[in-house]
Amino acid sequence: AQSVTQPDIHITVSEGASLELRCNYSYGATPYLFWYVQSPGQGLQLLLKYFSGDTLVQGIKGFEAEFKRSQSSFNLRKPSVHWSDAAEYFCAVVLYTGGFKTIFGAGTRLFVKA
Amino acid sequence: DADVTQTPRNRITKTGKRIMLECSQTKGHDRMYWYRQDPGLGLRLIYYSFDVKDINKGEISDGYSVSRQAQAKFSLSLESAIPNQTALYFCATALPNNEQFFGPGTRLTVL
């Protein structure tokens, strides 16, 4: 069965430190890949997306993600975290199974300490 | 103005009551979705619609119904609310590649 796994339920990093959030998927082909961010009390906002081509994609707010086909992963990174990055982050994959279907991971909550 | 709006933003109701959550969008997208979010479970799809005449069940449609009144409007109804429907509900629109645009959410509490 297709699935999306975000292994870390929550992560705490110090402001200014680097960040990596993990995402793995289970699917036979290469899906479309997305990262969304949800700030408290708000809906989800797209950070970045991968459809094809260059496996390192840049997004908003200084985030980037790298698609690794061999590891079925699409990890999100930021070199220097700001306090305003504290939020919940969702990885999502779009599969084609007769029609497009989106599967979301369970989310990783990021805490930023001063 | 927000591209995807949801009303109400918060609602407290009692078991057995009928509840309607409304969603409007100004993005001009044909695809609209309703999700519920529960802690630790991510987003789960309730219903989706690819145009006014197209309604499809998602993975957790039991206990819910929807109405697509126009391209811009997609409503979610709970015919007889129960406590385990307490959750955060999101409406979203999407491009053909499934890139999604979310509303701010409705927090529903069923007592």
Side-chain angles (χ1 to χ4, degrees):
Chain A
Q2 303 100 353
S3 64
V4 179
T5 302
Q6 293 181 244
D8 303 304
I9 297 173
H10 54 80
I11 284 181
T12 300
V13 300
S14 298
E15 191 169 18
S18 63
L19 170 71
E20 182 170 31
L21 302 182
R22 296 180 291 164
C23 174
N24 293 91
Y25 64 90
S26 171
Y27 181 54
T30 299
Y32 294 165
L33 298 157
F34 299 85
W35 275 99
Y36 291 89
V37 59
Q38 183 183 25
S39 297
Q42 298 186 24
L44 281 71
Q45 178 187 17
L46 180 70
L47 278 177
L48 46 76
K49 58 193 174 188
Y50 173 80
F51 294 147
S52 65
D54 191 346
T55 56
L56 184 64
V57 294
Q58 304 296 321
I60 62 171
K61 305 184 181 185
F63 285 91
E64 66 178 26
E66 185 173 12
F67 168 57
K68 292 186 177 181
R69 186 189 310 274
S70 61
Q71 299 177 18
S72 296
S73 69
F74 189 55
N75 293 349
L76 181 70
R77 301 194 294 248
K78 186 169 185 177
S80 178
V81 169
H82 187 263
W83 64 266
S84 61
D85 293 324
E88 189 154 21
Y89 292 80
F90 292 93
C91 179
V93 302
V94 175
L95 319 170
Y96 186 78
T97 56
F100 286 112
K101 174 182 178 183
T102 300
I103 301 176
F104 286 86
T108 297
R109 183 167 293 280
L110 173 65
F111 298 94
V112 180
K113 60 182 180 181
Chain B
D1 289 338
D3 295 320
V4 184
T5 57
Q6 293 183 234
T7 56
R9 293 295 311 278
N10 290 281
R11 181 72 184 267
I12 300 174
T13 191
K14 295 182 178 180
T15 297
K17 294 292 188 181
R18 183 179 188 273
I19 297 296
M20 178 179 287
L21 309 183
E22 299 188 354
C23 176
S24 294
Q25 55 118 344
T26 58
K27 298 192 74 67
H29 294 162
D30 289 325
R31 301 180 180 211
M32 297 189 73
Y33 302 78
W34 275 103
Y35 293 93
R36 66 175 279 174
Q37 183 181 27
D38 299 277
L41 296 180
L43 277 73
R44 292 183 291 167
L45 183 62
I46 306 172
Y47 271 95
Y48 62 102
S49 168
F50 285 174
D51 66 40
V52 174
K53 298 180 180 178
D54 176 73
I55 301 290
N56 303 280
K57 293 183 178 180
E59 59 182 305
I60 56 164
S61 59
D62 287 349
Y64 301 94
S65 62
V66 292
S67 173
R68 183 80 183 268
Q69 301 96 320
Q71 185 201 42
K73 296 184 180 297
F74 192 36
S75 301
L76 176 72
S77 294
L78 288 67
E79 296 301 327
S80 180
I82 56 177
N84 76 0
Q85 292 177 311
T86 293
L88 189 55
Y89 289 85
F90 287 104
C91 175
T93 69
L95 294 170
N97 62 16
N98 265 33
E99 178 181 338
Q100 301 199 21
F101 301 83
F102 288 82
T106 294
R107 185 168 297 280
L108 176 65
T109 303
V110 183
L111 302 176

